């Protein structure tokens, strides 16, 4: 069944129960550990909510998930999607230029550390964080094998690469 795609959101048990509104949701890291011990490969996603599971909580989650490498093959961080249909739900705010930059700082620094220690970047912010922070999208090699395209991670970089290759062929 490998790899399994898992929405983790946070590895903090209490916060995960709160975010999922489920008293059993705090067991996620234990389940991930059991999967890793069974040899199941994992692609993880963190849906980040400003002021809730970013900042120190993001750092905690990244460290916890990296400890499960190589079973954890990659971790994507994407910003929470907000619509007008939020009646009765917890209040959330969108990412700003500054808060998106703070996420990028954590993710890029941690990714560089993983690259040195593990030989892989392991963690990847969604393209939307770069757009919100008004930062350039990384080159294609940053994303290694583009394992998180379906989460909006590296799509713009891949498209840019494909356009350049098509123009060269033309």
């Amino acid at each position: 069944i490998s790899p399994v795609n898992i929405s983790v959101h946070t590895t903090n048990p209490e916060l995960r129960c709160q975010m999922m509104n489920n008293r059993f949701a705090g067991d996620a890291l234990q389940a991930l550990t059991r999967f890793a011990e069974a040899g199941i490969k994992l692609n993880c996603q963190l849906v980040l909510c400003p002021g809730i599971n970013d900042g120190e909580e993001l750092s905690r989650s990244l460290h916890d998930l990296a400890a499960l490498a190589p079973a954890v093959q990659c971790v994507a961080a994407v910003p929470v999607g907000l619509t007008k249909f939020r009646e009765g739900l917890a209040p959330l705010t969108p990412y700003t230029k500054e808060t998106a930059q703070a996420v990028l700082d954590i993710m890029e620094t941690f990714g560089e550390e993983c690259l040195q220690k593990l030989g892989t970047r392991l963690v990847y912010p969604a393209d939307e964080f770069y757009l919100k922070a008004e930062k350039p999208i990384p080159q294609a090699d940053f994303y290694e094998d583009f394992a998180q395209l379906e989460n909006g991670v590296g799509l713009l970089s891949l498209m840019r690469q494909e356009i350049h290759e098509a123009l060269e062929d033309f």
Side-chain angles (χ1 to χ4, degrees):
I1 62 172
S2 289
V4 175
N5 298 328
I6 300 177
S7 292
V8 177
H9 306 314
T10 181
T11 58
N12 176 332
E14 296 81 26
L15 180 58
R16 193 161 197 285
C17 287
Q18 179 187 346
M19 289 183 76
M20 301 292 110
N21 195 26
N22 179 333
R23 63 189 172 111
F24 302 109
D27 298 336
L29 189 57
Q30 291 172 310
L32 294 174
T33 301
R34 289 181 58 207
F35 286 158
E37 289 170 351
I40 298 170
K41 301 295 183 189
L42 308 167
N43 295 331
C44 299
Q45 178 194 55
L46 305 170
V47 176
L48 299 182
C49 303
I52 297 175
N53 64 332
D54 56 2
E56 289 181 23
E57 289 295 339
L58 172 58
S59 293
R60 173 188 176 154
S61 294
L62 295 176
H63 281 91
D64 288 345
L65 294 172
L68 297 176
V72 169
Q73 297 181 61
C74 58
V75 179
V78 302
V80 64
L82 300 175
T83 70
K84 64 181 180 177
F85 304 103
R86 296 202 37 80
E87 190 174 314
L89 299 175
L92 295 173
T93 58
Y95 274 92
T96 64
K97 179 179 179 178
E98 294 75 22
T99 55
Q101 181 60 55
V103 167
L104 289 176
D105 290 344
I106 291 169
M107 296 287 293
E108 289 177 344
T109 299
F110 193 81
E112 286 298 320
E113 291 172 12
C114 288
L115 195 55
Q116 297 301 314
K117 292 177 187 173
L118 304 172
T120 180
R121 187 169 301 283
L122 190 68
V123 302
Y124 305 92
D127 295 356
E128 189 174 342
F129 282 116
Y130 289 100
L131 296 174
K132 280 279 191 187
E134 299 176 16
K135 294 291 189 181
I137 301 291
Q139 295 299 314
D141 61 345
F142 176 89
Y143 298 99
E144 298 173 19
D145 63 357
F146 290 99
Q148 293 273 3
L149 282 174
E150 68 276 2
N151 287 320
V153 178
L155 278 172
L156 294 174
S157 184
L158 181 60
M159 181 178 69
R160 178 178 54 216
Q161 177 183 322
E162 289 174 344
I163 289 171
H164 287 302
E165 290 171 357
L167 288 173
E168 286 175 11
D169 289 344
F170 183 71

